[in-house]
Amino acid sequence: MANIKSAKKRILVNRTKADRNKAIKSGVKTAIKKVYAAIGTGDKAAATEQLKAATKVIEMAGSKGIYHKNNVAHKVSRISKAVNEMA
């Protein structure tokens, strides 16, 4: 355990930020799962709506520094491609 006051604060701040990052990453994963669930049902309109929602969530996570911009682009591209390839 840290003895110095600033080190104790760093531990608390890091824990807070880690919890926030974990919550946002979880939200991104959930949004992506919803897109694939909509694709699984075969409903293109629902899949498109879920894609719009997921894209927003992913890009917001990227703007907050949780994901690198290239990782954001990769995730959005992958789910967009999946929706566009629906019959």
Side-chain angles (χ1 to χ4, degrees):
M1 182 65 197
N3 292 324
I4 298 168
K5 187 175 182 181
S6 62
K8 290 178 183 178
K9 181 179 178 185
R10 285 268 52 59
I11 290 169
L12 293 175
V13 170
N14 288 340
R15 190 175 299 146
T16 302
K17 288 186 176 185
D19 289 344
R20 175 178 164 268
N21 291 346
K22 192 182 295 184
I24 293 172
K25 283 185 175 187
S26 176
V28 168
K29 290 177 191 173
T30 302
I32 291 171
K33 285 179 189 173
K34 286 181 180 179
V35 173
Y36 284 119
I39 291 170
T41 62
D43 187 0
K44 179 119 180 166
T48 306
E49 285 300 313
Q50 291 298 330
L51 173 64
K52 285 174 73 174
T55 301
K56 182 176 180 181
V57 171
I58 294 167
E59 288 179 352
M60 284 176 64
S63 71
K64 294 182 187 316
I66 294 167
Y67 289 115
H68 188 273
K69 65 178 184 173
N70 292 352
N71 194 344
V72 169
H74 175 79
K75 288 179 185 300
V76 170
S77 173
R78 190 176 63 216
I79 59 175
S80 297
K81 183 179 180 200
V83 171
N84 290 337
E85 287 179 347
M86 285 181 70

